[in-house]
Amino acid sequence: MFLKDYFFRSLLVSGVLALTACGGSGSSNGSNSFAGNGNGNSTSTPTWVAGEFTSHTQLANQCAAGSGSAMAEKLWLRSYSNDTYLWYDEIFDQDPAPFTVLEYFDELVTTAVTPSGKLKDQFHFSMSAEEWENLSTSGSSVGFGFNISIEQGVGVERTITITYSDPNTPAANANVNRGAIIVEVDGVNVASANDAASIDTLNHGLFPSEDGQESVFLIRDLNSEEPREVTLTAQTIISDPVPLTKVIETDINTVGYMVFNDHIATAEKGLYDAVSTLKAANVDELVIDFRYNGGGYLALASQLGYMVAGNQTVNRTFEQTIFNDKYPNTNPVTGNSLSPTPFYQETIGFNDDYIRGGIQLPTLNLSRIFVLTSAGTCSASEAFINGLRGIGVEVIQIGSTTCGKPYGFYPTDNCDTTYFTVQFKGVNDQGFGDYADGFSPSDAPIYQTDIQGCDAVDDLTKPLGDQQEGMFSTAMYYLENGQCPEVIATEETTKAAVKQFIDYQFSVEDTRARSKFSRNRILLNK
């Protein structure tokens, strides 16, 4: 989440020119929290001395592209991390000289693992400041308009699947739809590529950096044996973070369903409109599809929590932010005294072109909520789940284990790059926030990270919102019967279950063809 956590995409959250935080955890006093910079200048190159840290405010904006140096940029990263990183005392302090700036940033992380054995910090990344500004404020990024799931890992054949395409984009116009498999990119076979040049070709073709870039894809459509060649031209895509809202009348109740893909600024208007529609329909139950939501502005998760639960949120905490032990009472980024993030009852106005601040939010006053999740459900999406559970709202989870990010950061600019380094952990109204291994659906919950619900796989053979789609149909069955459907194991369901396990174990990245958590999305198999 951002505090901005994005933000997230994990991953963000406050007023104009204010600091914003993202992610799966709490916020400071503000609803937006972008991290700012100092204005340090220097006429000489600073040097590294083990164990000694110059204030990051004195090192800020001493850029190699200007009158500063790469060493100054690296030492700024080192000092900023030592001051604000949640696990600053787990960073190995080494001479930055052998590294480039971005390589050194990648070194400034803990190597500790969670109880399950995965890295505790999997959320360390950077992108250009311009790219971040466009993505976080307007939802725009250069791409083709498709969202993909990448499966790759030891002993796993690399597979790239289209999970959805935004309407009116190059992908949608070329009928590149959910369930299609990308077989080749610019002549390189996806499954077998395993040398640096081929991997670079895949990444370049899938994740364009500028408008007008052409990529040639060999695509095997769903239910088709023969692949077809498609040439797509990249353009600036304005994504729709809340692309689908529908109302379903059953024999016993009225069910609302909404797809929510990104906690970015433009989602505020989308969520307001979606919940207003559901309120007008007097829905009795609500299913929120978070399966591809990697996080974002924490304040949006808080707003959605209020819109779902209404009066149950009054005088309750959505999330309390905990920073490192240097700052028990103060936000190290904003300098403000720590106070809980409430359930926001009004719009914030992240982007006035979409919706202004100060408008009372609609509420459904539901005591139960269904969430559809996957390994791509992360950060602010998990904070939404944790926040509602913290005030006693029943959450039913359908799908698979979430990514496990109870942490957030304030996207921070230095020398035209925005850095995302974990700075806080969030806990709910009951003080719980230990879900680094994710939330898991269970028909017999035991642990606090177990949530009542059902395992279900992402059914790429059906459109999102189709009542026959695997996750949604499971939610509807539970809603009507109070229990999970009996699953008869077939060859296809077994394959789907194995795929879901692979998704979780090998850190599948669900991405809208943009930088999210790493610069290299396709990796060499080892």
Side-chain angles (χ1 to χ4, degrees):
M1 51 181 100
F2 310 154
L3 245 196
K4 250 209 93 140
D5 181 90
Y6 175 21
F7 12 8
F8 142 177
R9 131 192 328 45
S10 239
L11 334 128
L12 315 167
V13 188
S14 148
V16 175
L17 299 182
L19 295 174
T20 302
C22 315
S25 305
S27 157
S28 64
N29 296 1
S31 55
N32 303 310
S33 332
F34 279 98
N37 301 312
N39 295 303
N41 293 299
S42 175
T43 58
S44 62
T45 301
T47 58
W48 171 77
V49 179
E52 295 183 13
F53 297 87
T54 301
S55 170
H56 59 83
T57 60
Q58 296 180 38
L59 295 165
N61 294 323
Q62 295 183 27
C63 310
S67 60
S69 65
M71 178 58 78
E73 292 187 39
K74 287 182 277 188
L75 291 179
W76 175 83
L77 284 168
R78 174 176 175 264
S79 292
Y80 189 71
S81 299
N82 180 258
D83 187 45
T84 70
Y85 187 56
L86 184 61
W87 306 288
Y88 70 94
D89 54 351
E90 297 178 21
I91 294 175
F92 175 59
D93 186 20
Q94 58 185 318
D95 186 351
F99 304 96
T100 67
V101 173
L102 293 181
E103 286 173 346
Y104 185 61
F105 177 65
D106 291 341
E107 296 291 314
L108 297 172
V109 294
T110 178
T111 57
V113 298
T114 68
S116 72
K118 73 176 184 180
L119 287 174
K120 183 163 63 175
D121 188 353
Q122 304 181 88
F123 313 104
H124 198 71
F125 72 108
S126 64
M127 64 175 69
S128 76
E130 180 182 12
E131 181 183 6
W132 170 245
E133 177 66 17
N134 291 336
L135 178 61
S136 63
T137 60
S138 66
S140 67
S141 59
V142 175
F144 304 113
F146 54 52
N147 192 74
I148 59 177
S149 171
I150 304 170
E151 300 166 49
Q152 58 187 358
V154 179
V156 177
E157 182 176 87
R158 185 186 297 110
T159 305
I160 301 177
T161 308
I162 305 295
T163 56
Y164 64 89
S165 294
D166 282 315
N168 303 314
T169 62
N173 294 338
N175 295 315
V176 178
N177 298 317
R178 177 173 167 84
I181 302 293
I182 298 179
V183 180
E184 290 184 3
V185 181
D186 290 332
V188 173
N189 185 273
V190 168
S192 61
N194 204 34
D195 62 87
S198 296
I199 297 301
D200 286 345
T201 298
L202 292 180
N203 281 319
H204 179 265
L206 285 166
F207 309 105
S209 58
E210 58 185 8
D211 283 1
Q213 176 183 320
E214 283 193 353
S215 294
V216 180
F217 300 95
L218 192 63
I219 291 177
R220 186 170 64 251
D221 295 308
L222 184 67
N223 300 323
S224 176
E225 294 294 329
E226 295 298 322
R228 62 187 175 101
E229 186 176 288
V230 177
T231 299
L232 299 180
T233 302
Q235 64 183 47
T236 298
I237 305 295
I238 306 296
S239 65
D240 183 354
V242 192
L244 178 62
T245 305
K246 62 191 301 185
V247 176
I248 300 163
E249 297 288 350
T250 74
D251 293 338
I252 58 175
N253 50 30
T254 302
V255 180
Y257 169 85
M258 60 184 289
V259 176
F260 182 21
N261 288 330
D262 271 320
H263 286 73
I264 54 177
T266 54
E268 187 172 28
K269 177 66 162 57
L271 290 173
Y272 179 91
D273 289 345
V275 176
S276 295
T277 297
L278 299 173
K279 181 178 178 65
N282 294 313
V283 298
D284 306 299
E285 303 277 4
L286 176 62
V287 179
I288 300 181
D289 197 333
F290 278 128
R291 75 184 78 182
Y292 303 128
N293 194 316
Y297 285 107
L298 186 67
L300 289 173
S302 166
Q303 289 177 319
L304 183 57
Y306 170 73
M307 287 190 277
V308 167
N311 294 334
Q312 299 161 89
T313 67
V314 175
N315 297 323
R316 305 295 294 273
T317 292
F318 176 72
E319 185 167 282
Q320 175 69 57
T321 306
I322 300 171
F323 290 86
N324 68 41
D325 59 12
K326 294 180 180 181
Y327 295 96
N329 302 307
T330 305
N331 183 317
V333 182
T334 67
N336 296 330
S337 297
L338 293 180
S339 61
T341 298
F343 285 85
Y344 293 113
Q345 300 182 15
E346 297 181 343
T347 58
I348 291 165
F350 289 101
N351 188 325
D352 287 341
D353 291 339
Y354 289 82
I355 192 168
R356 62 179 174 81
I359 300 173
Q360 181 65 37
L361 296 170
T363 61
L364 301 177
N365 289 306
L366 300 175
S367 58
R368 182 171 76 165
I369 178 78
F370 287 76
V371 293
L372 308 186
T373 68
S374 72
T377 304
C378 200
S379 196
S381 302
E382 293 173 296
F384 169 84
I385 294 170
N386 198 46
L388 286 185
R389 294 183 80 205
I391 62 169
V393 172
E394 183 182 11
V395 177
I396 306 297
Q397 182 181 1
I398 307 296
S400 59
T401 302
T402 62
C403 88
K405 186 173 182 288
Y407 315 116
F409 31 55
Y410 285 78
T412 306
D413 295 346
N414 193 60
C415 298
D416 297 325
T417 299
T418 301
Y419 295 97
F420 302 76
T421 188
V422 171
Q423 292 155 322
F424 59 86
K425 173 183 176 179
V427 299
N428 64 20
D429 195 64
Q430 296 179 14
F432 178 72
D434 294 323
Y435 52 90
D437 280 316
F439 289 114
S440 300
S442 173
D443 58 2
I446 298 175
Y447 305 106
Q448 284 186 287
T449 53
D450 293 341
I451 299 180
Q452 185 67 47
C454 315
D455 289 321
V457 298
D458 189 2
D459 179 5
L460 293 169
T461 69
K462 302 290 191 305
L464 295 176
D466 188 319
Q467 290 185 61
Q468 300 305 310
E469 187 276 322
M471 287 192 188
F472 192 20
S473 65
T474 300
M476 292 297 290
Y477 184 93
Y478 191 104
L479 191 151
E480 296 180 8
N481 297 278
Q483 62 184 20
C484 299
E486 181 179 354
V487 178
I488 300 174
T490 64
E491 182 178 357
E492 290 306 311
T493 60
T494 300
K495 287 180 179 178
V498 170
K499 175 185 179 297
Q500 199 78 5
F501 174 76
I502 291 170
D503 284 353
Y504 177 66
Q505 290 293 317
F506 293 101
S507 188
V508 166
E509 294 184 35
D510 291 303
T511 175
R512 191 185 298 279
R514 67 178 179 224
S515 295
K516 219 175 203 186
F517 291 128
S518 64
R519 289 182 298 280
N520 295 315
R521 274 71 64 182
I522 305 297
L523 306 175
L524 283 169
N525 284 331
K526 298 180 180 179

